[in-house]
Amino acid sequence: MGNLKIGIPQALLYYEYFPLWKNFLESLGAEVIISGPTTKEILDLGVKSAISEICFPVKVFYGHVMSLKDRVDYLFIPRMVCVEKGAYFCPKFLGLPDMVKSSLSSLPPLIEPTIDIRKSATSFKNSFLAVGKLISNNSKKIYQSFYEAQKSFHLYLQSKENELNPEIININQQYSTKLLQNNMKNPLNIALLGHSYLVYDAFINLNLISKLKKTKINVLTAEMVRKQDIERKLKRLHKPIFWTLSKKIVGSAFYFLEKRIDGIIHLTSFECGEDSMIGELIRQESLKYPTVAYTEFVFDEHTGEAGIDTRTEAFLDMIIRRKRYESNHT
Amino acid sequence: MKVTIPNLGNLASIAGKSLLSNLGHEVILPPSNTKRTLDLGVRYAPEYCCLPLKIVLGNFIEALEKGADTIIMVGGWGPCRFGYYAEIQRMILKSLGYKFEMIVLEVPRGNLIRILRYVNLLRNKQSLSSLINAGEIAWSKVVAIEELEKEALRIRPRENIKGETSRILKKGLSLIDNTNSIGEIERIKQQIIDDFNKIKVKKNKELIKVKLVGEFYVALEPFVNHNIEEKLGYLGVEVERGVSIKPWITSVFSLNFLKVGYQKEKNPIEKAANPYLPQSVGGEGQPTVGNVVLASEKGFDGAIQVVPFTCMPEIVAETVNKKVSEDLDFPVLTLIFDEQTGEEGLNTRLEAFIDLLKSKKYDRHLTARRLAS
């Protein structure tokens, strides 16, 4: 059966699970084709083919599906329902393959494993093994591929966590007094929080990460916080959050607030249901830490580069000015 | 303890109030939903939150102003945002400086001590038998209200004098509100149904039949949906509701094992949705799709889906419904409600949709007659 072309749209959960999917599918001998980074054409295709009420990230996903569909034998669109106890994905992920099938025509067949660990038939392992059977007859090889893919995925996640150098955060404790004496030689620590498909999609967020890095800012993301730290911070909530992706955002926001980094930018997308709720959670919590600047950027298909640049500059100016003021008055 | 609950059509203000006052609480209902309720909610709730959260927040503010000190709200565990409403509302109200206690009714998870305290507060030192009794009275009020409202939807498009049905319904509801015995509720229900049947109706009128599906709160709260059921009735449309509070209560509190008015076996609505949306997406997403499929099989002329702006499950359903509608040649109108929804815009869209259904029905008759001759 070799060299089956399987397409993976580079949107939504691609930014969470791609290494796992790719390693698994490729070691079974399939050729994995991704739609590539988001472009203006992809965005336009998505906006045209989705209903107007749907959230912006799903429109982007539609665009990626449209740009892939004529180049591949299969489209890989898993239905992620539940990967940990007591938490789900957003309803739109639960119905993603159905939505795609309902509104786009002339699609190649979909590979749509359901991953819902509450039932053993749809556990991570069993769903992947079922996908493997579509590609290969060698069940031993399928097992092997799955375990190897899973192992390397865990290593990948860990390497992300290690990027958060503990020193950065510790230095910051004495920041407010020391920083300005050596004239801002220490970079600012700014956390970019939000769904990974916003934070890492440079087209959607208009290159925010590289722009910040260019101004010598230390960019922190939720992936850099250790899972146990996130879980520990979440215990503080009066009621647990029941969305897997939001848990990570809220937990890491609390973590960064407690470490008193210089600022947090919460990236949200227009019409995102989860963001509307957790935005309020983070905002209320941030009021308890007046030294940490907090702002929220909303992205949609009309977001203009100049607008975001202005807001970023204003946000950074505000932090720097405050630091200068504080160091002059202490 | 002065308790309050959010408005929800006639259900909360009659059945909910009955349950709480039978437990010996002083009940302070929020004033009926008005523009002010909405404005308060919009002002303090996060911008992209769905409409029900905003209005219920407005309800709470208005009830706290009237002197309530305990809020009772229902919760849940996702994936729909509804499960987190109470928590966000509690935070907002606290940050506004109100002093109150919030009792959230949901399936306990984790904090058992908190749940037990809530249950004790609610039970108010009443014996178990009076608790059960209060529950039974409230439940029979729910059943009676829903039955009368359903009957009114059938009669209203047929009535000769406009407003007759609504008048009798209103009388019935206030009688139910003022009684406190199960036998009496049953008697009033029969009486009102008899009254309904005495209403003079237009003869031989073939009506357009529409299924009303969509998000639970918007479908049941007339202030939010601009009284859509009455509007459709006056347009000569027979409406059947696709949402009911009964299965909702049983599912929110995981009481399915009680089988109260709700079968436990594979739900026919889910089964109907299966070819299009095999996965439950929270809220009423999957039932909305299932109800549309069933309505097309049961001889309805069309369906109307009501959705609060940015509702996650209903947007999935809306997308899938496009395909359902195409495949089954069955018209579905999706109406999205938010704080900007204007009444005239809604009227125009409803009239246009009903005209479309009428002409479609007429065409079908013509073809049938041609085939017969």
Coordinates of all heavy atoms in Angstrom, one line a residue, chain A residues 51 53-54 62 79 81 86 88-92 94-95 98-99 101-103 114 116 118 237-243 269-274 276-277 280-281 284 298, chain B residues 46 48-49 53 76-81 83-85 87-88 90-92 95 106 109 114 118 276-281 309-310 312-313 315-316 318-320 322-323 336:
Chain A
I51 N -19.4 28.9 7.6 CA -20.5 29.8 7.9 C -19.9 31.0 8.7 O -18.9 30.9 9.4 CB -21.6 29.1 8.7 CG1 -21.1 28.6 10.0 CG2 -22.3 28.1 7.9 CD1 -22.2 28.2 11.0
E53 N -20.8 32.6 11.3 CA -20.9 32.7 12.8 C -19.8 32.0 13.5 O -19.6 32.1 14.7 CB -22.2 32.2 13.3 CG -23.4 33.1 13.0 CD -23.9 32.8 11.6 OE1 -23.7 31.8 11.0 OE2 -24.6 33.7 11.1
I54 N -19.1 31.1 12.7 CA -18.1 30.2 13.4 C -16.9 31.0 13.8 O -16.6 32.1 13.3 CB -17.8 29.0 12.5 CG1 -17.5 27.8 13.4 CG2 -16.7 29.4 11.6 CD1 -17.8 26.6 12.7
Y62 N -10.6 25.5 8.0 CA -11.3 25.2 6.7 C -10.4 25.6 5.6 O -10.4 24.9 4.6 CB -12.6 26.1 6.7 CG -13.8 25.4 7.2 CD1 -13.8 24.7 8.5 CD2 -15.0 25.4 6.5 CE1 -14.9 24.1 9.0 CE2 -16.2 24.8 7.1 CZ -16.1 24.1 8.3 OH -17.2 23.5 8.8
R79 N -11.0 13.4 15.8 CA -12.0 14.0 16.6 C -11.5 13.9 18.1 O -11.6 12.8 18.7 CB -13.3 13.3 16.5 CG -14.5 13.8 17.3 CD -15.6 12.8 17.4 NE -16.1 12.2 16.2 CZ -16.9 12.8 15.4 NH1 -17.4 13.9 15.7 NH2 -17.3 12.2 14.3
V81 N -11.9 14.3 21.8 CA -13.0 14.6 22.7 C -12.5 14.8 24.1 O -12.8 15.8 24.8 CB -14.0 13.4 22.7 CG1 -15.2 13.7 23.7 CG2 -14.6 13.2 21.3
G86 N -12.1 14.4 33.5 CA -12.8 15.7 33.9 C -12.6 16.9 33.0 O -12.9 18.0 33.4
Y88 N -12.6 18.3 28.7 CA -12.9 18.0 27.3 C -12.2 19.0 26.4 O -11.7 20.0 26.9 CB -14.4 18.1 27.0 CG -15.3 17.3 27.9 CD1 -15.8 17.9 29.0 CD2 -15.6 16.0 27.6 CE1 -16.6 17.1 29.9 CE2 -16.4 15.3 28.4 CZ -16.9 15.8 29.5 OH -17.7 15.1 30.3
F89 N -12.3 18.8 25.1 CA -12.0 19.8 24.2 C -13.2 20.7 23.9 O -14.3 20.3 24.3 CB -11.4 19.2 22.9 CG -10.0 18.7 23.0 CD1 -9.8 17.5 23.5 CD2 -9.0 19.5 22.7 CE1 -8.5 17.0 23.7 CE2 -7.7 19.1 22.9 CZ -7.4 17.8 23.4
C90 N -13.1 21.8 23.2 CA -14.2 22.6 22.9 C -15.2 21.9 22.0 O -14.8 21.0 21.2 CB -13.6 23.9 22.2 SG -14.7 24.7 21.1
P91 N -16.5 22.2 22.1 CA -17.5 21.5 21.2 C -17.1 21.5 19.7 O -17.5 20.6 19.0 CB -18.7 22.3 21.5 CG -18.6 22.9 22.8 CD -17.1 23.1 23.0
K92 N -16.4 22.5 19.3 CA -16.1 22.5 17.9 C -15.1 21.5 17.5 O -15.1 21.0 16.4 CB -15.6 23.9 17.5 CG -16.8 24.9 17.4 CD -16.3 26.3 17.4 CE -17.5 27.2 17.9 NZ -17.0 28.5 18.4
L94 N -15.1 18.6 19.0 CA -15.9 17.4 19.1 C -16.6 17.1 17.8 O -16.9 16.0 17.5 CB -16.9 17.5 20.3 CG -16.4 17.1 21.7 CD1 -15.2 17.8 22.1 CD2 -17.5 17.3 22.7
G95 N -17.0 18.2 17.1 CA -17.8 18.0 15.9 C -17.0 18.4 14.7 O -17.6 18.6 13.6
D98 N -17.3 16.3 11.4 CA -18.7 16.4 10.9 C -19.0 17.8 10.3 O -19.6 17.9 9.2 CB -19.7 16.2 12.0 CG -19.4 14.9 12.8 OD1 -19.5 13.9 12.1 OD2 -19.1 15.0 14.0
M99 N -18.4 18.8 10.9 CA -18.6 20.2 10.3 C -17.9 20.2 9.0 O -18.4 20.8 8.0 CB -18.0 21.2 11.3 CG -18.8 21.4 12.5 SD -18.5 23.0 13.2 CE -16.9 22.9 13.8
K101 N -17.2 17.8 6.9 CA -17.9 17.0 5.9 C -19.2 17.7 5.5 O -19.6 17.6 4.3 CB -18.2 15.6 6.4 CG -17.0 14.7 6.3 CD -17.4 13.3 6.7 CE -17.6 13.1 8.2 NZ -17.9 11.8 8.6
S102 N -19.8 18.4 6.4 CA -21.1 19.0 6.1 C -20.9 20.2 5.2 O -21.8 20.5 4.4 CB -21.8 19.5 7.3 OG -22.0 18.5 8.2
S103 N -19.9 21.0 5.3 CA -19.9 22.2 4.6 C -18.9 22.2 3.4 O -18.9 23.2 2.6 CB -19.6 23.4 5.5 OG -18.8 23.1 6.5
T114 N -11.7 8.8 16.7 CA -12.2 9.5 17.9 C -11.4 9.2 19.0 O -11.0 8.1 19.3 CB -13.7 9.1 18.2 OG1 -14.5 9.4 17.1 CG2 -14.2 9.7 19.4
D116 N -11.3 9.5 22.9 CA -12.1 9.8 24.1 C -11.7 8.7 25.1 O -12.2 7.6 25.1 CB -13.6 9.7 23.7 CG -14.5 10.0 24.9 OD1 -14.0 10.1 26.0 OD2 -15.7 10.1 24.6
R118 N -12.6 8.0 27.9 CA -13.5 7.5 28.9 C -14.0 6.1 28.4 O -14.6 5.4 29.2 CB -14.7 8.4 29.0 CG -14.4 9.7 29.7 CD -15.5 10.7 29.6 NE -15.8 11.0 28.2 CZ -16.8 11.8 27.8 NH1 -17.6 12.3 28.7 NH2 -16.9 12.1 26.5
L237 N -8.3 27.4 41.9 CA -9.7 27.8 41.4 C -10.8 27.3 42.3 O -10.7 26.2 42.9 CB -9.8 27.2 40.0 CG -9.1 27.9 38.9 CD1 -9.2 27.1 37.6 CD2 -9.6 29.3 38.7
H238 N -11.8 28.1 42.4 CA -13.0 27.7 43.2 C -13.7 26.5 42.5 O -14.2 25.7 43.2 CB -13.9 28.9 43.3 CG -15.0 28.8 44.2 ND1 -16.3 28.5 43.8 CD2 -15.1 28.9 45.5 CE1 -17.1 28.4 44.8 NE2 -16.4 28.7 45.9
K239 N -13.7 26.6 41.2 CA -14.3 25.4 40.5 C -13.3 25.0 39.4 O -12.8 25.9 38.6 CB -15.6 25.9 39.8 CG -16.2 24.9 38.9 CD -17.5 25.2 38.3 CE -18.0 24.1 37.4 NZ -19.4 24.0 37.3
P240 N -13.0 23.7 39.2 CA -12.1 23.3 38.2 C -12.6 23.7 36.8 O -13.8 23.7 36.5 CB -12.0 21.8 38.4 CG -12.7 21.4 39.6 CD -13.6 22.6 40.0
I241 N -11.6 23.9 35.9 CA -12.0 24.2 34.5 C -12.1 22.8 33.8 O -11.3 21.9 34.1 CB -10.9 25.0 33.8 CG1 -10.7 26.3 34.5 CG2 -11.2 25.2 32.4 CD1 -9.6 27.2 34.0
F242 N -13.1 22.8 32.9 CA -13.3 21.5 32.2 C -12.9 21.5 30.7 O -13.4 20.7 30.0 CB -14.7 21.0 32.4 CG -15.8 22.0 32.2 CD1 -16.0 22.5 31.0 CD2 -16.5 22.5 33.3 CE1 -17.0 23.5 30.8 CE2 -17.4 23.5 33.1 CZ -17.7 24.0 31.9
W243 N -12.0 22.4 30.4 CA -11.4 22.3 29.0 C -9.9 22.1 29.0 O -9.2 22.9 29.7 CB -11.7 23.6 28.3 CG -13.1 23.9 28.0 CD1 -14.0 23.2 27.3 CD2 -13.9 25.1 28.5 NE1 -15.3 23.8 27.3 CE2 -15.2 25.0 28.1 CE3 -13.5 26.2 29.3 CZ2 -16.2 25.9 28.3 CZ3 -14.5 27.1 29.6 CH2 -15.8 27.0 29.1
S269 N -9.2 34.7 20.2 CA -9.7 34.9 18.8 C -11.1 35.3 18.9 O -11.8 34.9 19.9 CB -9.5 33.6 18.0 OG -9.9 32.5 18.8
F270 N -11.6 36.0 17.9 CA -13.0 36.5 17.9 C -13.9 35.3 18.0 O -13.7 34.3 17.3 CB -13.2 37.2 16.6 CG -14.6 37.8 16.5 CD1 -15.0 38.7 17.5 CD2 -15.5 37.4 15.5 CE1 -16.3 39.2 17.4 CE2 -16.7 37.9 15.5 CZ -17.2 38.8 16.4
E271 N -14.9 35.4 18.8 CA -16.0 34.3 18.9 C -15.5 33.1 19.6 O -16.2 32.1 19.6 CB -16.6 33.9 17.6 CG -17.5 35.0 17.0 CD -18.7 34.4 16.4 OE1 -18.7 33.3 16.0 OE2 -19.7 35.1 16.4
C272 N -14.3 33.1 20.2 CA -13.9 31.9 20.9 C -14.6 31.8 22.2 O -14.6 32.7 23.1 CB -12.4 31.9 21.2 SG -11.8 30.5 22.1
G273 N -15.3 30.7 22.4 CA -16.2 30.5 23.6 C -15.3 30.4 24.9 O -15.6 31.0 25.9
E274 N -14.3 29.5 24.8 CA -13.5 29.3 26.0 C -12.8 30.6 26.4 O -12.7 30.9 27.6 CB -12.4 28.2 25.7 CG -13.0 26.8 25.5 CD -11.9 25.8 25.3 OE1 -10.7 26.0 25.7 OE2 -12.2 24.8 24.7
S276 N -13.6 33.6 26.1 CA -14.5 34.6 26.8 C -14.6 34.3 28.3 O -14.7 35.2 29.1 CB -15.9 34.6 26.1 OG -16.5 33.4 26.4
M277 N -14.6 33.0 28.6 CA -14.7 32.7 30.1 C -13.3 32.8 30.8 O -13.2 33.4 31.8 CB -15.2 31.3 30.2 CG -16.5 31.0 29.5 SD -17.9 32.0 30.0 CE -18.6 30.9 31.2
E280 N -11.9 36.2 31.6 CA -12.3 36.8 32.8 C -11.6 36.3 34.0 O -11.2 37.0 34.9 CB -13.9 36.6 32.9 CG -14.6 37.3 34.0 CD -14.6 38.8 33.9 OE1 -14.4 39.3 32.8 OE2 -14.9 39.5 34.9
L281 N -11.4 35.0 34.0 CA -10.7 34.4 35.1 C -9.3 35.0 35.3 O -8.9 35.4 36.4 CB -10.5 32.9 34.9 CG -11.6 31.9 35.2 CD1 -11.2 30.5 34.9 CD2 -12.0 32.0 36.6
Q284 N -9.4 38.8 36.3 CA -9.7 39.0 37.7 C -8.5 38.6 38.6 O -8.2 39.3 39.6 CB -10.9 38.1 38.2 CG -12.2 38.5 37.5 CD -13.1 39.2 38.4 OE1 -12.8 39.4 39.6 NE2 -14.2 39.7 37.8
V298 N -7.3 40.6 20.6 CA -8.3 39.8 19.9 C -8.0 39.7 18.5 O -7.8 40.8 17.8 CB -9.8 40.3 20.1 CG1 -10.8 39.4 19.5 CG2 -10.1 40.5 21.6
Chain B
P46 N -18.2 39.5 30.5 CA -17.2 39.5 29.4 C -17.9 39.7 28.1 O -19.0 39.1 27.8 CB -16.5 38.2 29.5 CG -16.8 37.7 30.8 CD -18.1 38.3 31.3
Y48 N -17.6 38.6 24.9 CA -17.9 37.5 24.0 C -18.7 36.4 24.7 O -18.9 35.3 24.1 CB -16.7 36.9 23.3 CG -16.0 37.9 22.5 CD1 -14.6 38.1 22.6 CD2 -16.7 38.7 21.6 CE1 -14.0 39.1 21.8 CE2 -16.1 39.6 20.8 CZ -14.7 39.8 20.9 OH -14.1 40.8 20.2
C49 N -19.1 36.5 25.9 CA -19.9 35.5 26.5 C -21.2 35.4 25.9 O -21.7 36.3 25.2 CB -20.1 35.9 28.0 SG -18.8 35.4 29.0
L53 N -25.7 34.0 29.8 CA -24.9 34.4 30.9 C -25.2 35.8 31.3 O -25.3 36.2 32.4 CB -23.4 34.2 30.6 CG -22.5 34.4 31.8 CD1 -21.3 33.5 31.7 CD2 -21.9 35.9 31.8
G76 N -22.6 22.6 35.8 CA -22.4 21.5 35.0 C -20.9 21.3 34.7 O -20.1 22.1 35.2
W77 N -20.6 20.3 33.9 CA -19.2 20.0 33.7 C -18.8 19.9 32.2 O -18.1 19.0 31.8 CB -18.8 18.7 34.4 CG -18.9 18.8 35.9 CD1 -20.0 18.4 36.7 CD2 -18.0 19.5 36.8 NE1 -19.8 18.7 38.0 CE2 -18.6 19.4 38.1 CE3 -16.8 20.1 36.6 CZ2 -18.0 20.0 39.2 CZ3 -16.2 20.7 37.7 CH2 -16.8 20.6 39.0
G78 N -19.4 20.8 31.5 CA -18.9 21.0 30.1 C -19.4 19.9 29.1 O -20.2 19.0 29.5
P79 N -19.0 20.0 27.9 CA -18.0 21.0 27.4 C -18.7 22.4 27.0 O -18.0 23.3 26.7 CB -17.5 20.3 26.1 CG -18.6 19.4 25.7 CD -19.3 19.0 26.9
C80 N -20.0 22.5 27.2 CA -20.6 23.7 26.9 C -20.3 24.7 28.0 O -20.1 24.4 29.2 CB -22.2 23.5 26.9 SG -23.1 25.0 26.9
R81 N -20.2 26.0 27.7 CA -19.8 27.0 28.6 C -20.7 27.2 29.8 O -20.4 27.7 30.9 CB -19.8 28.4 27.9 CG -18.5 28.8 27.4 CD -18.6 30.1 26.7 NE -19.3 30.0 25.5 CZ -19.5 31.1 24.6 NH1 -19.0 32.2 25.0 NH2 -20.1 30.9 23.5
G83 N -21.7 25.3 32.0 CA -21.2 24.7 33.2 C -20.4 25.6 34.1 O -20.3 25.5 35.3
Y84 N -19.8 26.7 33.4 CA -19.0 27.6 34.1 C -19.6 28.9 34.4 O -19.0 29.8 35.0 CB -17.7 27.8 33.4 CG -16.5 27.8 34.3 CD1 -15.9 26.6 34.8 CD2 -15.9 29.0 34.7 CE1 -14.9 26.7 35.7 CE2 -14.8 29.0 35.5 CZ -14.3 27.9 36.0 OH -13.2 27.9 36.9
Y85 N -20.9 29.1 34.0 CA -21.6 30.3 34.2 C -21.6 30.8 35.6 O -21.2 31.9 36.0 CB -23.1 30.1 33.9 CG -23.5 30.3 32.5 CD1 -22.6 30.3 31.4 CD2 -24.8 30.5 32.1 CE1 -23.0 30.5 30.1 CE2 -25.2 30.7 30.8 CZ -24.3 30.7 29.8 OH -24.7 30.8 28.6
E87 N -19.8 30.2 38.2 CA -18.5 30.6 38.7 C -18.1 32.0 38.2 O -17.7 32.8 39.0 CB -17.4 29.6 38.3 CG -16.1 29.8 38.8 CD -16.0 29.9 40.3 OE1 -16.9 29.5 41.0 OE2 -15.0 30.5 40.8
I88 N -18.3 32.2 36.9 CA -18.0 33.6 36.4 C -18.9 34.6 37.0 O -18.4 35.7 37.4 CB -18.1 33.6 34.8 CG1 -17.1 32.6 34.2 CG2 -18.0 34.9 34.2 CD1 -15.7 33.1 34.2
R90 N -20.4 34.5 39.9 CA -20.0 34.7 41.3 C -18.9 35.7 41.4 O -18.9 36.6 42.1 CB -19.7 33.4 41.9 CG -19.5 33.4 43.4 CD -19.0 32.0 43.9 NE -17.7 31.7 43.4 CZ -16.5 32.1 43.9 NH1 -16.6 32.9 45.0 NH2 -15.4 31.9 43.3
M91 N -17.8 35.4 40.5 CA -16.7 36.3 40.5 C -17.0 37.8 40.2 O -16.5 38.7 40.8 CB -15.6 35.8 39.5 CG -14.9 34.6 40.0 SD -13.8 33.9 38.7 CE -12.9 35.3 38.3
I92 N -17.9 37.9 39.2 CA -18.2 39.3 38.8 C -19.0 40.0 39.9 O -18.7 41.1 40.2 CB -19.0 39.3 37.4 CG1 -18.1 38.7 36.3 CG2 -19.5 40.6 37.1 CD1 -18.9 38.5 35.0
S95 N -16.8 41.0 42.7 CA -15.9 42.1 42.3 C -16.7 43.4 42.3 O -16.2 44.5 42.4 CB -15.2 41.9 41.0 OG -16.1 42.1 40.0
E106 N -25.1 21.1 41.1 CA -24.5 20.3 40.0 C -24.1 19.0 40.6 O -24.0 18.8 41.8 CB -23.3 21.0 39.4 CG -22.2 21.3 40.4 CD -21.2 22.3 39.8 OE1 -21.3 22.7 38.7 OE2 -20.3 22.7 40.6
R109 N -18.3 17.0 42.3 CA -17.0 16.5 41.8 C -16.0 17.1 42.7 O -15.8 18.3 42.8 CB -16.8 16.9 40.4 CG -15.6 16.2 39.8 CD -15.5 16.7 38.4 NE -16.3 16.0 37.4 CZ -16.3 16.2 36.1 NH1 -15.5 17.1 35.6 NH2 -17.0 15.6 35.3
R114 N -18.3 21.1 50.5 CA -19.1 22.3 50.0 C -20.5 21.9 49.6 O -21.5 22.5 49.9 CB -18.3 22.9 48.9 CG -18.8 24.3 48.5 CD -18.3 24.8 47.2 NE -16.8 25.0 47.2 CZ -16.1 25.1 46.0 NH1 -16.7 24.9 44.9 NH2 -14.8 25.3 46.1
Y118 N -24.2 23.0 51.0 CA -25.2 23.5 50.1 C -26.5 22.8 50.3 O -27.6 23.4 50.4 CB -24.8 23.4 48.6 CG -23.8 24.3 48.1 CD1 -23.2 24.1 46.9 CD2 -23.4 25.5 48.9 CE1 -22.2 25.0 46.4 CE2 -22.5 26.4 48.4 CZ -21.9 26.1 47.2 OH -20.9 27.0 46.7
Y276 N -25.3 12.4 10.8 CA -24.7 13.7 10.5 C -23.8 14.1 11.7 O -22.8 14.8 11.4 CB -25.8 14.7 10.4 CG -26.7 14.5 9.2 CD1 -27.9 13.8 9.3 CD2 -26.2 14.9 7.9 CE1 -28.6 13.5 8.2 CE2 -27.0 14.6 6.8 CZ -28.2 13.9 6.9 OH -28.9 13.6 5.8
L277 N -24.1 13.8 12.9 CA -23.3 14.2 14.0 C -23.3 13.1 15.1 O -24.1 13.1 16.0 CB -23.9 15.5 14.6 CG -23.1 16.2 15.7 CD1 -21.7 16.6 15.2 CD2 -23.8 17.5 16.2
P278 N -22.4 12.2 14.9 CA -22.5 11.0 15.8 C -22.0 11.3 17.2 O -22.2 10.5 18.1 CB -21.5 10.0 15.2 CG -20.6 10.8 14.3 CD -21.4 12.0 13.9
Q279 N -21.4 12.5 17.4 CA -20.8 12.8 18.7 C -21.6 13.8 19.4 O -22.0 14.8 18.8 CB -19.3 13.3 18.5 CG -18.7 13.9 19.7 CD -18.2 12.8 20.7 OE1 -17.8 11.7 20.3 NE2 -18.4 13.1 21.9
S280 N -21.8 13.6 20.7 CA -22.5 14.7 21.5 C -21.5 15.8 21.6 O -20.3 15.6 22.0 CB -22.9 14.2 22.9 OG -23.1 15.3 23.7
V281 N -21.9 17.1 21.3 CA -21.0 18.2 21.4 C -21.4 19.1 22.6 O -21.0 20.3 22.6 CB -21.0 19.0 20.1 CG1 -20.4 18.1 19.0 CG2 -22.4 19.5 19.7
F309 N -25.7 34.3 20.2 CA -24.5 34.6 19.5 C -23.3 33.9 20.2 O -23.2 34.0 21.4 CB -24.3 36.1 19.5 CG -23.1 36.6 18.7 CD1 -23.0 36.3 17.3 CD2 -22.2 37.4 19.3 CE1 -21.9 36.7 16.6 CE2 -21.1 37.9 18.6 CZ -21.0 37.5 17.2
T310 N -22.4 33.4 19.4 CA -21.2 32.6 19.8 C -21.4 31.3 20.6 O -20.5 30.7 21.1 CB -20.2 33.5 20.7 OG1 -20.7 33.5 22.0 CG2 -20.0 34.9 20.2
M312 N -21.3 27.7 21.3 CA -20.4 26.7 20.7 C -21.1 25.5 20.1 O -21.0 25.2 19.0 CB -19.3 26.3 21.7 CG -18.5 27.5 22.2 SD -17.0 27.0 23.1 CE -17.6 26.5 24.6
P313 N -21.9 24.8 21.0 CA -22.6 23.6 20.4 C -23.6 23.9 19.3 O -23.6 23.2 18.3 CB -23.4 23.1 21.6 CG -22.8 23.7 22.8 CD -22.2 25.0 22.4
I315 N -23.4 26.3 17.1 CA -22.7 26.6 15.8 C -22.3 25.4 15.1 O -22.4 25.3 13.9 CB -21.5 27.6 16.1 CG1 -22.1 29.0 16.3 CG2 -20.6 27.6 14.9 CD1 -21.0 30.0 16.7
V316 N -21.9 24.3 15.9 CA -21.6 23.0 15.3 C -22.9 22.5 14.6 O -22.9 22.1 13.4 CB -21.1 22.0 16.3 CG1 -20.9 20.7 15.7 CG2 -19.8 22.5 17.0
E318 N -25.5 24.2 13.6 CA -25.9 25.1 12.5 C -25.1 24.6 11.2 O -25.7 24.5 10.2 CB -25.6 26.5 12.8 CG -26.1 27.5 11.7 CD -25.6 28.9 11.8 OE1 -25.0 29.2 12.9 OE2 -25.8 29.7 10.9
T319 N -23.8 24.4 11.4 CA -23.0 24.0 10.3 C -23.5 22.6 9.7 O -23.7 22.5 8.5 CB -21.5 23.8 10.7 OG1 -21.1 25.0 11.4 CG2 -20.6 23.6 9.5
V320 N -23.8 21.7 10.6 CA -24.2 20.4 10.2 C -25.6 20.5 9.6 O -25.9 19.8 8.6 CB -24.2 19.4 11.4 CG1 -24.8 18.1 11.0 CG2 -22.7 19.2 11.9
K322 N -26.9 22.7 7.8 CA -26.8 23.1 6.4 C -26.9 21.9 5.5 O -27.6 21.9 4.5 CB -25.6 23.9 6.1 CG -25.5 25.2 6.8 CD -25.7 26.4 5.8 CE -26.4 27.5 6.3 NZ -26.0 28.2 7.5
K323 N -26.1 20.9 5.9 CA -26.1 19.6 5.1 C -27.4 18.9 5.2 O -27.9 18.4 4.2 CB -24.9 18.8 5.6 CG -24.8 17.4 5.0 CD -23.9 17.5 3.8 CE -23.7 16.1 3.3 NZ -23.4 16.1 1.8
I336 N -30.0 34.1 15.1 CA -29.0 34.3 16.2 C -29.4 35.5 17.0 O -29.7 36.6 16.5 CB -27.6 34.5 15.5 CG1 -27.3 33.1 14.9 CG2 -26.6 34.8 16.6 CD1 -26.0 33.1 14.2

